[in-house]
């Protein structure tokens, strides 16, 4: 049997033993305990003491040896109980750009009265997070760092949960497959060139400047700037409204896929990301035009997130060609 075959068998066994879900609870049959390296050294010392006590028939030697054995057994039991019954769940992580570190919020709940200590979470081939103390009937949130290397949806790797509390003699651990994922935006190009679009509506980056004119009030939408909220109107009517403006000279743009030619797919996505961030930062109204998808002109954090999600999940292979 090759190492690759054994690894596949091991992964399949873990998937059956620890099925994925939005929340898991550590039960008796999913917690494993073995002596640590320090624990094996401790056991060897106890064994040598036992041999010496038998050889020389030392009553105090027997007492000391079996006292050490009892201490080791108590450490094993306490490490097991330190994990038993803990619940683990996830919260929605914030999107990041390709190459940045994503932080997955993991909620650890202790339904029992006993205090849990020294809990370590580690994602496969990723970072770690430590919880030193978790009081009874309490929930704590830790943020597990996971590096990103590709755009798109990144699933939370399988977690290893372990503790060496209280003595370090034993290592108790379990595995958790939590169904959580984070959106990774394309990496924005550093110092992108100016947008080369034509001055026409709907294709290219049309830039016009001028003074906005008040056009009335409309209902508040998440993402609207607080500076445009009509506070006096809200105080009179208890309805949150936003001032809207018309301007024949307002700056607006449509970021087009073909404008990033002749770069490859990932290069184009990187450049389009930089252009979108620049348009949002300058206060422009902008849209996005991709093969097979078009996002109309708008502005605000939610609109930017929608455009960046379209870039992050873009698949040129799935676009029909005409």
């Amino acid at each position: 049997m090759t190492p690759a075959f054994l690894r596949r068998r091991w992964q399949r066994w873990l998937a059956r033993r620890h099925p994925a879900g939005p929340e898991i609870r550590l039960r008796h049959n999913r917690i494993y305990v073995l002596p640590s390296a320090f624990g094996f050294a401790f056991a060897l010392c106890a064994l040598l003491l036992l041999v010496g006590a038998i050889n020389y028939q030392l009553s105090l030697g027997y007492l000391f040896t079996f006292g050490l054995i009892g201490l080791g057994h108590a450490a094993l039991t306490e490490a097991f109980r330190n994990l038993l019954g803990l619940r683990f769940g996830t919260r929605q992580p914030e999107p990041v750009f390709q190459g940045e570190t994503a932080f997955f919020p993991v909620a650890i709940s202790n339904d029992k009265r006993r205090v849990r200590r020294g809990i370590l979470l580690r994602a496969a081939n990723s970072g770690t997070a430590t919880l030193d103390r978790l009081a009874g009937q309490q929930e704590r949130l830790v943020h597990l760092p996971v590096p990103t290397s590709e755009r798109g949806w990144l699933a939370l790797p399988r977690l290893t949960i372990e503790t060496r509390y209280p003595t370090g003699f034993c290592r108790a651990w379990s595995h958790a497959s939590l169904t959580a994922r984070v959106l990774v935006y394309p990496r924005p190009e550093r110092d992108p060139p100016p947008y080369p679009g034509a001055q026409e509506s709907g294709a290219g980056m049309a830039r016009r400047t001028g003074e906005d004119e008040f056009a009335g009030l409309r209902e508040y939408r998440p993402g609207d700037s607080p500076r445009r909220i009509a506070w006096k109107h809200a105080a009179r009517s208890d309805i949150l409204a936003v001032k809207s403006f018309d301007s024949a000279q307002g700056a607006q743009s449509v970021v087009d896929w073909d404008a990033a030619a002749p770069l490859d797919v990932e290069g184009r996505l990187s450049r389009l990301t930089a252009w979108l961030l620049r348009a949002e930062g300058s206060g422009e109204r902008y849209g996005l035009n991709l093969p097979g998808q078009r996002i109309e002109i708008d502005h605000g954090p939610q609109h930017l997130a929608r455009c960046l999600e379209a870039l992050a999940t873009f698949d040129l292979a799935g676009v029909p060609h005409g």
Side-chain angles (χ1 to χ4, degrees):
M1 294 185 183
T2 64
F5 174 78
L6 293 176
R7 282 195 298 270
R8 288 195 298 270
R9 290 291 299 271
W10 170 249
Q11 294 298 326
R12 285 197 295 267
W13 182 86
L14 281 179
R16 291 195 303 268
R17 182 76 171 178
H18 302 273
E23 182 179 279
I24 64 103
R25 179 188 291 271
L26 298 186
R27 304 186 183 278
H28 294 79
N29 60 345
R30 294 182 181 177
I31 301 176
Y32 317 103
V33 187
L34 280 177
S36 62
F38 181 59
F40 279 112
F42 177 83
L44 179 60
C45 290
L47 179 62
L48 293 177
L49 287 173
L50 179 61
V51 171
I54 293 174
N55 188 44
Y56 293 101
Q57 292 295 307
L58 297 175
S59 299
L60 289 178
Y62 283 116
L63 178 64
F64 186 61
T65 300
F66 288 114
L68 291 180
I69 294 174
L71 177 62
H73 183 269
L76 183 150
T77 304
E78 190 64 20
F80 179 85
R81 295 179 65 229
N82 197 42
L83 295 183
L84 183 63
L86 288 178
R87 287 190 297 111
F88 295 83
T90 58
R91 304 293 183 265
Q92 181 61 41
E94 293 294 328
V96 297
F97 291 96
Q98 183 180 353
E100 295 180 343
T101 299
F103 289 90
F104 285 86
V106 179
I108 308 176
S109 302
N110 180 16
D111 297 337
K112 308 296 182 181
R113 294 184 178 179
R114 62 193 311 268
V115 178
R116 314 300 180 100
R117 303 178 187 272
I119 309 297
L120 176 70
L121 275 71
R122 181 174 63 251
N125 303 318
S126 302
T128 62
T130 304
L131 184 61
D132 294 328
R133 185 179 187 276
L134 181 62
Q137 307 294 328
Q138 189 181 39
E139 179 179 285
R140 293 280 299 277
L141 201 65
V142 298
H143 292 81
L144 191 65
V146 177
T148 64
S149 59
E150 297 180 355
R151 64 177 175 88
W153 288 106
L154 173 65
L156 176 63
R158 181 182 291 113
L159 300 182
T160 299
I161 305 156
E162 70 172 73
T163 183
R164 296 174 185 258
Y165 178 82
T167 61
F169 293 167
C170 299
R171 172 179 177 260
W173 78 97
S174 184
H175 299 283
S177 298
L178 297 173
T179 52
R181 62 179 187 171
V182 64
L183 186 60
V184 181
Y185 298 143
R187 181 188 291 107
E189 182 181 10
R190 183 175 297 179
D191 298 327
Y195 191 89
Q199 303 291 328
E200 56 186 60
S201 175
M205 184 170 285
R207 298 178 179 271
R208 294 168 296 183
T209 59
E211 295 296 330
D212 289 338
E213 298 179 357
F214 180 70
L217 299 176
R218 63 169 175 82
E219 186 179 353
Y220 172 81
R221 293 196 298 263
D224 287 330
S225 173
R227 292 179 297 178
R228 296 207 170 192
I229 296 178
W231 296 108
K232 293 183 179 179
H233 179 273
R236 292 194 304 267
S237 62
D238 294 330
I239 298 176
L240 203 58
V242 175
K243 300 174 185 177
S244 61
F245 296 86
D246 286 335
S247 175
Q249 299 179 350
Q252 66 179 20
S253 34
V254 174
V255 179
D256 191 85
W257 170 262
D258 293 329
L263 298 175
D264 60 9
V265 172
E266 297 304 322
R268 292 194 191 196
L269 294 175
S270 179
R271 181 163 294 181
L272 293 179
T273 300
W275 281 337
L276 288 173
L277 294 175
R278 178 178 293 177
E280 176 68 24
S282 63
E284 297 179 10
R285 293 171 56 83
Y286 56 92
L288 178 63
N289 189 19
L290 297 175
Q293 184 177 7
R294 180 181 177 87
I295 298 177
E296 297 300 327
I297 291 177
D298 204 343
H299 70 99
Q302 287 191 335
H303 179 63
L304 176 63
R306 182 185 175 195
C307 293
L308 292 177
E309 180 177 352
L311 296 181
T313 57
F314 177 75
D315 181 14
L316 188 61
V319 176
H321 299 277

